[in-house]
Amino acid sequence: MTKPAEGVREGAREGVREGASEGQGGPSARGEGTWVTAVGQVLGNFVVSLVVGDALQSTLDGARSWRVWNWPPFFVVLGLGGAALLRTPEGPGDQVLWSYLMIGFAVLIALVRVVGIRGRAGAQALASALSVALAVGGTVWVEQVRGHGEVDVAGLTTVTPSRPLRDGETLVVGVDGGPVRTHLRLVLRVEDADPDMQSCTPETRLALRLGGGPSTVDDARSGRPVDIRLGGVRDGIRVTVTVRTDAGCRMNVFVDDAVLHG
């Protein structure tokens, strides 16, 4: 009667050994699979972030300031913005307003990318591309203004003779220097030489001609802009102004504004 009992005990011990063996093999396999999956995720994230510009985003999760691929667009934007500011020509500020706004937005977007604001990979890549595109656009705008924009040359003008003129007399407005442009916009101001004895300004007209050519404008008035096409003239601009006023009136003519443009 003792043999069956011993057989039962022996079978129980073998079952325990088999169960222990199976228990040890299961967790080991699962751990190895988890490790392989984690390594694959890290490598995959590294490759994706390298493409979109954040090479160390996934591999070094806590070191946002190490995102080296965000810095080149930032420096490109700063370089283009600085060049645009240095090359901005003199003239009305509104003609470069949009270029400054574009460069400002570009710097802001690039700065946001550098400090490590998180988002989708596609959105981050688009933000970097947009910042560079805005900086390029702003710089091109400044160069366009530099080549064709308005430049104030009132300080470069001369008026000869600088004395009161009567009806039919002429003076010459000269512009020496300034950039190459195709048009000159003049604003001439006419005043009575003897305001206590006459009031001829409202009825006074001016006739303008470029150089010795035919009249460019026949009916210019005081304070109103006149646009003169320069043609082939590039330096030493001379505009002859003839005064048309009532008999006995003596008029002073001044240059209020002079702008090269086009």
Side-chain angles (χ1 to χ4, degrees), residues 20-247:
S21 177
E22 290 176 0
Q24 292 176 358
S28 177
R30 285 195 296 271
E32 183 177 355
T34 302
W35 183 82
V36 172
T37 301
V39 172
Q41 289 178 347
V42 170
L43 292 177
N45 290 336
F46 180 83
V47 173
V48 172
S49 62
L50 181 63
V51 173
V52 301
D54 291 328
L56 302 179
Q57 176 179 354
S58 297
T59 56
L60 298 174
D61 190 37
R64 295 185 179 183
S65 61
W66 290 12
R67 298 180 177 185
V68 295
W69 291 108
N70 289 333
W71 287 99
F74 179 72
F75 286 127
V76 168
V77 168
L78 285 186
L80 291 174
L85 292 177
L86 291 176
R87 293 181 61 80
T88 300
E90 297 181 0
D94 56 353
Q95 63 182 345
V96 293
L97 174 61
W98 283 104
S99 64
Y100 284 177
L101 289 177
M102 293 170 68
I103 293 173
F105 278 120
V107 173
L108 179 61
I109 294 172
L111 184 61
V112 168
R113 293 288 292 116
V114 166
V115 299
I117 301 300
R118 292 181 178 273
R120 290 186 176 183
Q124 294 176 9
L126 181 60
S128 294
L130 179 61
S131 65
V132 175
L134 286 173
V136 171
T139 305
V140 171
W141 192 308
V142 168
E143 290 301 319
Q144 178 71 13
V145 172
R146 187 178 180 87
H148 303 282
E150 297 184 353
V151 179
D152 187 359
V153 291
L156 303 176
T157 60
T158 57
V159 177
T160 308
S162 58
R163 60 174 177 80
L165 302 176
R166 298 182 182 273
D167 180 51
E169 293 185 329
T170 63
L171 59 86
V172 176
V173 176
V175 180
D176 295 304
V180 175
R181 293 294 186 271
T182 59
H183 291 76
L184 171 66
R185 185 170 67 247
L186 275 177
V187 179
L188 300 176
R189 178 166 50 90
V190 180
E191 294 180 353
D192 292 293
D194 302 311
D196 295 334
M197 300 178 60
Q198 66 184 43
S199 180
C200 303
T201 299
E203 301 301 325
T204 300
R205 303 290 184 271
L206 302 173
L208 287 73
R209 68 177 184 271
L210 181 64
S215 294
T216 304
V217 179
D218 293 324
D219 192 23
R221 299 194 181 192
S222 176
R224 295 186 180 180
V226 177
D227 206 52
I228 302 172
R229 189 175 185 278
L230 300 178
V233 179
R234 289 293 180 269
D235 193 15
I237 301 170
R238 298 292 181 267
V239 179
T240 302
V241 181
T242 302
V243 176
R244 305 295 187 193
T245 188
D246 295 335

